[in-house]
Amino acid sequence: MLALRLTRGARPAVQLRRLLVTAASAGTGFLLLCALGYALSHPDSPAEATARLAWCLPPLAATVHLAVAVARTDPGTRPRPGLAAVGLGPARLMLVSASTTALSCVLGSMLALLVFLHLRGDLTGMPFDGAASEALAAGTPLPVPGSLTLLALVPAIASASVAFVLRPKGLGPAPDGGARRSYGRFGATGRPAAPETSASSGRFGARVREAVRGTPRPDQEPEPANGTVAVEAPPAEPAPDGLPALPEPRPAPKGLPWGVAVLAAGLAVETYAAGAADDGGPALPAALPAGPTGVLVGWLLTAVGLALAAPGVAHLCGLVLQALRPGALRLLAGRGLMAEATRIGRPLGVVCAVASAAYAMTPLPDPGSVGPLTALGAAVVVGCAVATLLTAAVEARQDRADTTEALLRLGAPAGTLRGAAALRAGALLAVFGPLTLVVAELAALPLTR
């Protein structure tokens, strides 16, 4: 009930993102039911039915990826003092977020079931009754357990993924062997794992900062520990053009070498397999060129390599922006891009992989060979990839909202902030655009022989 209330009271932009998850879940659920319908109408072709079911995995993965991205940007399930006061800490908010995701996906699955039954002719009174009765095995009774199992895949996997990604990360021992902060009784963070005494609380039960963090109160001088003299650190060097000192950038993502290796391996496997004879591999959709199994494996490795290497490439873009005596604009854009490299890079790599695959499939011998189910699957994958990238951009904007507000209070021009955002977008487009075209050309080259 609480998840339903939080869902109903969200802003229109949040509701739009949830509707996108519902639409993606509906498309994926319809594809799964169509695979079931094909298996019912062709009982003598189990291999082809299994291949159709396997080709529903890319839309399923894209839908789960979008659901996780939308859950991360949901402001209604973030820790707040009002919710913590009623016992909704980070763990329970994680469950609320997973429940909200499950509600959106269940709504999409129910919509897919209604459309499927309508096209089969089981539901009447609307246009296009039974329009696809032959393809969806209208004369065969629909197995209820199998249908419910397929429809439950998207809500179950999406909610479990959201719960895993948004799980509280402050539990357990610290990596250095010290005491890790744990979650308080009402979900507040910052409490040590050891039990607190009455001496560590203030007038209304507030914890004393020096008992938790080891730092003195504002009205008290720091005391030297073990007879040593505390030495103050030198003030941070201000940034150019009067802007405040920016925080140190995060370390570079570690997936760039692995991504480049997997990308090169995928291109090599595809090139080697293109010269081999057709080995009767898995049946591909009508829009994909037929060929040996190695070509498909090469495509998958290429897509995984792009997704792994994209955060490192984005981090390098931020480093390049700050090269050769940067000013305030380039320094702000570069540091921001380095901080957002992992968050923006991963969905950007997925978009590049999808775009390269679409570009490689453009020289089709027969454009009319693209069936409605293939078009629906491609639309779900492309739409989810683009929506996930836009959602990640919204999440990055939410995370730097405090920094942006602080810069505006210090007198930074609003045009400078907009220019930094445009510079970040331009740098990513200038690097990832040619990279996508090169990878697409190399991936399509063996297939044109």
Side-chain angles (χ1 to χ4, degrees):
M1 184 61 66
L2 178 60
L4 184 60
R5 290 184 177 182
L6 292 176
T7 302
R8 185 182 59 183
R11 295 177 299 177
V14 179
Q15 299 287 11
L16 178 60
R17 293 195 290 268
R18 291 171 179 169
L19 287 178
L20 290 177
V21 176
T22 301
S25 176
T28 305
F30 183 78
L31 290 174
L32 292 170
L33 291 177
C34 289
L36 177 61
Y38 183 86
L40 293 176
S41 59
H42 299 79
D44 54 344
S45 302
E48 295 183 3
T50 304
R52 285 176 175 262
L53 185 62
W55 277 104
C56 296
L57 292 180
L60 176 61
T63 302
V64 172
H65 193 202
L66 175 62
V68 172
V70 170
R72 288 171 60 95
T73 59
D74 193 348
T77 56
R78 291 187 173 183
R80 288 176 292 177
L83 295 179
V86 296
L88 290 177
R92 293 189 179 181
L93 285 180
M94 175 266 295
L95 296 178
V96 171
S97 182
S99 302
T100 304
T101 303
L103 287 176
S104 302
C105 294
V106 166
L107 180 60
S109 298
M110 294 299 101
L111 181 61
L113 179 60
L114 291 178
V115 174
F116 181 79
L117 295 178
H118 170 61
L119 293 180
R120 271 173 51 97
D122 298 337
L123 300 179
T124 59
M126 295 182 294
F128 304 103
D129 290 334
S133 57
E134 297 181 359
L136 302 181
T140 306
L142 194 65
V144 177
S147 303
L148 294 181
T149 301
L150 291 178
L151 290 176
L153 283 179
V154 178
I157 297 177
S159 58
S161 301
V162 168
F164 177 78
V165 172
L166 300 183
R167 70 190 187 281
K169 298 179 177 60
L171 302 178
D176 55 356
R180 182 188 291 272
R181 297 172 185 266
S182 61
Y183 296 98
R185 181 180 180 184
F186 297 111
T189 58
R191 188 170 63 87
E196 295 181 355
T197 61
S198 59
S200 62
S201 302
R203 181 180 178 184
F204 296 103
R207 295 183 298 275
V208 184
R209 288 197 303 167
E210 61 267 23
V212 177
R213 301 181 181 177
T215 56
R217 292 178 302 198
D219 57 348
Q220 188 178 18
E221 294 294 332
E223 297 180 359
N226 300 327
T228 59
V229 179
V231 180
E232 295 184 358
E237 184 179 355
D241 296 344
L243 290 179
L246 297 172
E248 290 296 327
R250 298 178 182 177
K254 300 179 180 180
L256 181 58
W258 291 102
V260 173
V262 174
L263 178 61
L267 294 175
V269 169
E270 183 183 355
T271 303
Y272 176 78
D278 191 356
D279 55 359
L284 304 181
L288 298 179
T293 309
V295 174
L296 179 60
V297 173
W299 277 14
L300 294 178
L301 290 177
T302 302
V304 172
L306 277 175
L308 289 177
V313 175
H315 192 273
L316 289 178
C317 292
L319 286 177
V320 171
L321 285 177
Q322 303 176 72
L324 301 177
R325 301 178 62 86
L329 183 62
R330 287 199 292 134
L331 185 62
L332 186 61
R335 288 292 178 89
L337 189 55
M338 292 172 64
E340 301 166 2
T342 303
R343 182 181 292 109
I344 297 294
R346 290 175 180 173
L348 186 57
V350 175
V351 170
C352 291
V354 172
S356 62
Y359 181 84
M361 292 186 298
T362 49
L364 291 176
D366 184 13
S369 61
V370 180
L373 295 182
T374 303
L376 177 60
V380 170
V381 173
V382 174
C384 289
V386 175
T388 302
L389 178 59
L390 297 178
T391 305
V394 172
E395 182 185 4
R397 183 179 180 181
Q398 292 176 354
D399 288 344
R400 65 172 181 267
D402 296 337
T403 303
T404 302
E405 184 180 357
L407 290 174
L408 291 176
R409 285 199 308 266
L410 292 174
T416 301
L417 302 179
R418 289 193 295 266
L423 188 57
R424 287 194 297 267
L428 292 177
L429 183 61
V431 173
F432 281 93
L435 177 62
T436 303
L437 291 177
V438 170
V439 172
E441 288 287 351
L442 294 176
L445 184 61
L447 301 177
T448 57
R449 295 179 180 178

